[in-house]
Amino acid sequence: MSALHRESFPAHFREPDSILSGYSRRLDRITPSAVREPRRDWRVAFLSGYRLRVVVTMIVMIVALYLLQDLLWPNTARPGTVWEHIWAAGAVVWLGAVIPGILGLCGLLSFRQPEDLDEVPPIDKLVVFRIVTRGTNVEAVSDTIRRCVTEMERSPLFPYLVEVVIEHAVGAEFPQGENIRYLVIDPEYTTPKGSLYKARALQYALEHSDVPDDAWLVHLDEETQPTSSGIKGIAKMIREEEASGRLRVGQGAILYHRDWERHPVLTLADNVRTGDDFARFHFQHRIGRTLFGLHGSYIVVRNDVEKRVGFDFGPDGSITEDAFWALVLMEQGGRARWVEGYLEEQSTRSFSDFVKQRRRWYQGLMKVSLHAPVKLRWRLSIATNTILWTFAPFAMLYTIFHAFFGFEVEPWIRFLANFSFASFTTLYVVGLRANLDEHGITNPVTRMGWTAIQIVGMPVFSAMEAAGVLLAIVKPVAGFHVVQK
């Protein structure tokens, strides 16, 4: 272990039985078989039949949409008056989803079966799970800390710390341990540019944490929990990046099945996020550029790379600080990559939080598009996707009214609209399958039932997503809404 690792920590981290020295003695005893886990069904599914299922799902959904439209839209008359022509031309709002739909499908079809993670060897690089929290949700933060410790005991592939960056002093209600430490933010602390919320906390951590520059950070939200496969994927990525010297930032897939029994509808609504991880986000990481942004959790980055950019972007960069940071890193020459394995989060617990969460994302990405301190070519992709996202509520409203006041739709518009909706439905179905597998729901009848509910509920889930955008347009907020989990 390097002197940098030993000397960069307080004395109680450098004792003979401390994290780093203890890990060094255990390293030789760890073999790949010692951290082996059962192969998950969804990994096998992505190996052979995955692409076929994507294509079949797309075709079935497109055919079903045509049949359903013929049933619900009996009015096939051509528009006559000027106003009828104007109303009929409104169908172009459906085309706002075409580009994201195509990119999503390309991502799904390019997704490759992860390599076998059972044979990942240990590494000697320090890994720090950094959790940023206000400290009000003690239960969620404590569960995440304990899960980090538990999973590292299962898969001890690297020396680690759990670093909790918190707004107030820590009491006995929070877990303690030699691998756990708390970095309390000075209440008087301000950044030069006046950054707020999580961006302020992350900047404070960069300036005041004594984590070594060559350590790797894994950013977690307060409810984001690692899994055995995620730890193995992180170890594999770090080994490859250190060997190549590229030091790319990594991100992987996140699942949302943890509260399935208590919040089934909201879990189903969030399956699109897992599907989008396998689609657009996997696609952008394969080409190495964050075209669509970056999640705020499951970011794997070396400490000196993160420090090179920092998080002091001012108030405009404090809503989606992750996307701001990623674009600046890309412009400076940094690149991204995919991390195999997954982490777990939980869905929102209320419809209100779901909608407000989407409002925050939309407002934050719009600020990225307008104010990120990079050249236009780095902002253009996010700006285009955010503008197209703006059409979502209007497309939803037009679809409803079209059932009563519609006219014949141009065949090419109808096809592209159906293709787009089928593509997004496929994202939900792919995300559903991964979450069903990891939740242990294996009964074929039960799985078919959940799949049917997922597809039938698509209008509801689409309306929920659109409501967040509409709320951002008609009632924007300046603050950072914290979802209750």
Side-chain angles (χ1 to χ4, degrees):
M1 197 65 59
S2 68
L4 176 61
H5 275 163
R6 291 194 302 271
E7 298 303 322
S8 297
F9 287 90
H12 66 281
F13 285 110
R14 302 199 299 270
E15 293 298 323
D17 292 327
S18 70
I19 300 160
L20 300 177
S21 60
Y23 177 82
S24 298
R25 293 197 301 273
R26 295 196 306 270
L27 196 59
D28 293 336
R29 300 200 300 269
I30 299 175
T31 63
S33 60
V35 292
R36 185 179 299 277
E37 67 171 4
R39 179 176 288 278
R40 309 277 186 175
D41 287 343
W42 72 273
R43 296 184 191 173
V44 177
F46 280 103
L47 175 63
S48 56
Y50 162 72
R51 290 182 179 85
L52 178 62
R53 279 195 300 274
V54 168
V55 173
V56 170
T57 302
M58 283 286 299
I59 293 173
V60 169
M61 284 305 306
I62 290 174
V63 171
L65 286 169
Y66 272 102
L67 294 175
L68 187 62
Q69 290 160 4
D70 288 341
L71 177 65
L72 298 179
W73 297 348
N75 186 358
T76 59
R78 300 286 297 178
T81 68
V82 172
W83 290 112
E84 288 176 349
H85 277 283
I86 293 175
W87 175 253
V92 296
V93 297
W94 289 332
L95 303 184
V98 171
I99 294 177
I102 293 173
L103 293 174
L105 181 61
C106 290
L108 287 175
L109 294 177
S110 68
F111 188 90
R112 295 182 296 184
Q113 141 77 350
E115 296 180 10
D116 192 348
L117 294 179
D118 290 332
E119 304 299 328
V120 176
I123 59 175
D124 63 357
K125 283 294 181 180
L126 176 68
V127 176
V128 179
F129 296 99
R130 178 168 285 171
I131 305 168
V132 174
T133 177
R134 293 181 177 180
T136 55
N137 195 341
V138 177
E139 180 181 1
V141 176
S142 298
D143 286 347
T144 297
I145 295 171
R146 295 188 187 100
R147 181 72 179 273
C148 289
V149 174
T150 300
E151 293 296 343
M152 285 305 304
E153 290 174 350
R154 285 187 61 198
S155 304
L157 293 175
F158 41 73
Y160 79 99
L161 286 173
V162 180
E163 183 183 68
V164 183
V165 184
I166 191 168
E167 291 283 352
H168 57 72
V170 177
E173 68 273 17
F174 287 95
Q176 305 293 326
E178 67 170 350
N179 292 87
I180 304 168
R181 67 178 181 180
Y182 297 87
L183 182 63
V184 180
I185 303 171
D186 183 347
E188 302 300 322
Y189 172 75
T190 58
T191 71
K193 296 181 181 179
S195 295
L196 306 170
Y197 317 125
K198 187 178 178 180
R200 168 179 171 268
L202 289 169
Q203 185 65 28
Y204 184 87
L206 287 185
E207 296 174 7
H208 294 85
S209 173
D210 56 4
V211 170
D213 282 349
D214 67 342
W216 286 79
L217 306 176
V218 179
H219 285 282
L220 306 177
D221 284 342
E222 58 184 16
E223 86 286 354
T224 308
Q225 298 182 2
T227 69
S228 181
S229 73
I231 288 171
K232 294 170 185 177
I234 290 167
K236 180 175 182 291
M237 170 199 157
I238 292 173
R239 175 178 291 276
E240 293 171 350
E241 293 306 302
E242 289 287 349
S244 68
R246 300 180 69 182
L247 304 182
R248 293 171 292 179
V249 58
Q251 189 154 76
I254 301 176
L255 304 182
Y256 299 88
H257 62 87
R258 206 159 66 218
D259 276 353
W260 198 304
E261 286 80 9
R262 288 193 293 174
H263 305 287
V265 174
L266 291 165
T267 300
L268 289 173
D270 262 340
N271 281 334
V272 68
R273 297 171 68 183
T274 300
D276 208 20
D277 282 344
F278 295 142
R280 292 189 309 154
F281 281 86
H282 173 263
F283 179 76
Q284 73 170 6
H285 289 302
R286 282 199 65 184
I287 64 177
R289 290 166 172 78
T290 55
L291 301 175
F292 313 113
L294 200 68
H295 298 316
S297 59
Y298 202 175
I299 299 175
V300 185
V301 58
R302 212 168 86 154
N303 194 29
D304 53 357
V305 174
E306 180 164 295
K307 285 182 175 180
R308 200 166 70 214
V309 176
F311 289 94
D312 188 15
F313 302 116
D316 287 330
S318 299
I319 304 300
T320 48
E321 75 294 326
D322 39 28
F324 262 72
W325 179 85
L327 287 187
V328 175
L329 179 66
M330 295 299 109
E331 187 176 58
Q332 290 183 0
R335 291 296 177 261
R337 61 161 285 169
W338 184 252
V339 184
E340 296 174 7
Y342 59 88
L343 268 57
E344 293 178 0
E345 292 188 359
Q346 63 189 59
S347 300
T348 57
R349 294 184 174 182
S350 68
F351 171 81
S352 174
D353 270 350
F354 184 97
V355 173
K356 290 177 180 178
Q357 182 187 60
R358 269 57 178 181
R359 173 176 65 180
R360 174 169 62 83
W361 292 347
Y362 177 85
Q363 289 186 205
L365 290 175
M366 190 62 75
K367 289 181 181 293
V368 172
S369 305
L370 296 173
H371 303 297
V374 296
K375 294 179 180 178
L376 177 61
R377 67 188 183 94
W378 294 104
R379 293 181 278 125
L380 189 59
S381 178
I382 288 181
T384 301
N385 275 271
T386 306
I387 291 171
L388 293 175
W389 196 11
T390 307
F391 286 97
F394 304 103
M396 176 62 64
L397 293 172
Y398 187 85
T399 301
I400 295 172
F401 287 111
H402 183 79
F404 303 98
F405 309 108
F407 296 92
E408 182 182 13
V409 180
E410 292 292 337
W412 65 275
I413 293 180
R414 186 180 180 186
F415 171 77
L416 289 176
N418 288 345
F419 169 86
S420 304
F421 192 80
S423 177
F424 281 105
T425 303
T426 303
L427 293 183
Y428 279 92
V429 173
V430 168
L432 170 69
R433 179 180 177 83
N435 282 283
L436 283 173
D437 288 347
E438 293 307 322
H439 200 69
I441 300 176
T442 58
N443 183 282
V445 176
T446 304
R447 292 171 69 90
M448 288 178 62
W450 280 116
T451 302
I453 294 172
Q454 182 79 79
I455 294 174
V456 172
M458 277 296 299
V460 176
F461 306 140
S462 299
M464 292 167 64
E465 295 282 350
V469 178
L470 186 62
L471 187 64
I473 295 172
V474 301
K475 193 178 180 180
V477 293
F480 187 103
H481 177 73
V482 178
V483 173
Q484 297 301 313
K485 294 185 178 180

